[in-house]
Amino acid sequence: MFSRITAAGSYLPARCMENRELEDALETTDAWIRTRTGIRRRHLAAADERVCGMAEQAARRALEAAHVDPGEVDLIVVATSTPDWMFPSTACLLQERLGAPGGPAFDLQAACAGFLYALDLVDKFIRAGTARNALVLGVDIMSRLIDWKDRSTCILFGDGAGALLLQAAPTPGVLASRLHADGRRHALLRAPRPGGPEAPAGEPAFLRMQGREVFRFAVTLMQQAAEELLRESNVTVEQVDWLIPHQANERIIRALAKRLGLPMEKVILSLGEHGNTSAASIPLALDNAWREGRLQRGQKLLLQSFGSGLTWGTALVDL
Ligand code: UT7
């Protein structure tokens, strides 16, 4: 038994913030943001919007695309760093909304690499025969973790949700997957739990990042991981149809593609429209490209992500 991606869905909040809206409040410009990151705009959740509601929108779109009844879902894994509740998990709330009780449902936190961690896990559930119709999601409302006065971070992030439906199949869809972490680098990118022991007393708990270092590690670690996975899978770079990287910074993506020897024509770039949506990044980019008709069944996809922890992961998928 193997797992196959049979459908994708995604959701972006209605409110869209252009770079130039940040110019007045911060010492920044649309030109700086575009040339240093590739980001043009980001979507922001409304005050009454919830991670669970965004997850539901993305999940329903994936299920509709596959003509699968929500009641048939027997496993839900949600990658998020910004859940509505400490507990219950977003996945349990989503399970109730979809009306699919009984199977396991849980959240997983590996920051921006969370989606590939979840995909790896769900693939193993299906291969073991313990799930047949699984939803794997990445959802984050980063705008609530951001210090909107810190121009080195607030320009980068946006809110969004992405979902893939993975189903049991006789031939492999997820061909190979590897996960990595290096906890020695945890201080490079972190956000304290609001009200927790690491949050500054009486102040909001914001994300802080050493951007230049994260940039450097991201390119090197993702290159190594991709080359290792391709070698182990006996797949050449030329056989890869699309690289779908974490949509964090276009310069990181271009550097990675160059090192791997992949032309930019084979790289999915959607961050210009939504910025870094953390765990939602890869399923959002994948869904956009699939709905635009760029991705085709039978193509080989190389998925790559990195994030706080540091964590990173890579997966090779036959669509
Ligand atoms: O999911 C993982 C998330 N993390 C990442 O992907 C982050 C990876 N890192 C990055 O994307 C980049 O490091 C940044 C976009 C965050 C920063 O770009 P950079 O080219 O590494 O800039 P820098 O930090 O080296 O700063 C260069 C200059 C500095 O000024 P000085 O010291 O040279 O005078 C900054 O103060 O740019 C300044 N700067 C800005 N200027 C205008 C930093 N942010 C801004 C800004 N507008 N928004």
Side-chain angles (χ1 to χ4, degrees):
M1 193 58 72
F2 299 101
S3 79
R4 227 168 221 293
I5 299 173
T6 52
S10 60
Y11 171 80
L12 288 169
R15 161 85 168 105
C16 181
M17 179 191 262
E18 302 287 334
N19 286 345
R20 59 181 159 68
E21 293 180 61
L22 291 161
E23 287 180 344
D24 292 341
L26 302 163
E27 270 183 46
T28 191
T29 60
D30 171 46
W32 193 96
I33 301 171
R34 270 190 293 110
T35 51
R36 298 297 259 255
T37 72
I39 297 165
R40 292 185 290 275
R41 50 188 70 90
R42 72 283 296 139
H43 292 253
L44 305 179
D48 62 353
E49 213 155 5
R50 298 286 178 267
V51 164
C52 179
M54 289 170 45
E56 183 186 2
Q57 299 274 356
R60 286 197 184 278
R61 287 173 188 175
L63 292 168
E64 276 161 23
H67 306 291
V68 168
D69 186 274
E72 291 176 48
V73 172
D74 55 8
L75 168 66
I76 302 177
V77 182
V78 177
T80 183
S81 310
T82 55
D84 301 320
W85 297 83
M86 285 304 297
F87 50 84
S89 66
T90 315
C92 284
L93 301 176
L94 175 62
Q95 195 209 51
E96 189 216 10
R97 285 176 179 233
L98 294 177
F106 58 95
D107 288 3
L108 178 157
Q109 202 275 80
C112 298
F115 183 80
L116 289 187
Y117 269 63
L119 183 77
D120 183 276
L121 207 63
V122 167
D123 174 56
K124 290 183 166 78
F125 265 84
I126 292 180
R127 281 174 189 260
T130 50
R132 293 192 63 83
N133 302 307
L135 277 172
V136 46
L137 295 102
V139 197
D140 271 307
I141 298 185
M142 296 303 286
S143 60
R144 293 182 191 150
L145 271 188
I146 297 295
D147 179 353
W148 286 95
K149 294 195 186 82
D150 176 7
R151 68 177 183 171
S152 69
T153 55
C154 76
I155 54 149
L156 297 170
F157 294 94
D159 305 333
L164 298 186
L165 179 67
L166 257 75
Q167 295 187 281
T171 53
V174 177
L175 302 175
S177 159
R178 294 286 178 281
L179 306 176
H180 305 273
D182 182 353
R184 292 171 301 180
R185 319 252 181 240
H186 71 271
L188 292 181
L189 172 52
R190 58 189 182 183
R193 180 163 63 81
E198 308 295 350
E203 287 175 38
F206 289 133
L207 170 157
R208 299 288 178 215
M209 178 174 68
Q210 295 173 39
R212 220 174 303 180
E213 277 68 31
V214 174
F215 191 121
R216 201 160 49 82
F217 281 118
V219 178
T220 309
L221 297 174
M222 286 201 294
Q223 178 199 358
Q224 282 170 2
E227 288 176 346
E228 218 173 270
L229 190 75
L230 290 173
R231 205 169 37 246
E232 284 173 16
S233 310
N234 286 321
V235 171
T236 63
V237 169
E238 291 72 28
Q239 289 173 302
V240 172
D241 294 293
W242 293 103
L243 170 67
I244 308 186
H246 176 37
Q247 305 289 310
N249 184 320
E250 189 174 324
R251 283 162 53 220
I252 293 178
I253 295 171
R254 284 185 180 275
L256 175 66
K258 190 171 173 193
R259 286 186 183 201
L260 291 177
L262 263 166
M264 283 307 287
E265 293 73 40
K266 285 186 162 192
V267 180
I268 299 295
L269 263 186
S270 64
L271 86 169
E273 297 305 308
H274 51 67
N276 182 347
T277 54
S278 192
S281 178
I282 287 190
L284 194 54
L286 192 155
D287 183 44
N288 282 339
W290 207 354
R291 283 173 198 267
E292 283 169 2
R294 299 168 74 199
L295 305 189
Q296 301 288 333
R297 287 261 170 235
Q299 289 184 331
K300 272 193 181 43
L301 316 180
L302 182 64
L303 314 179
Q304 289 232 273
S305 197
F306 68 95
S308 168
L310 295 177
T311 49
W312 64 105
T314 181
L316 190 63
V317 170
D318 198 1
L319 193 62

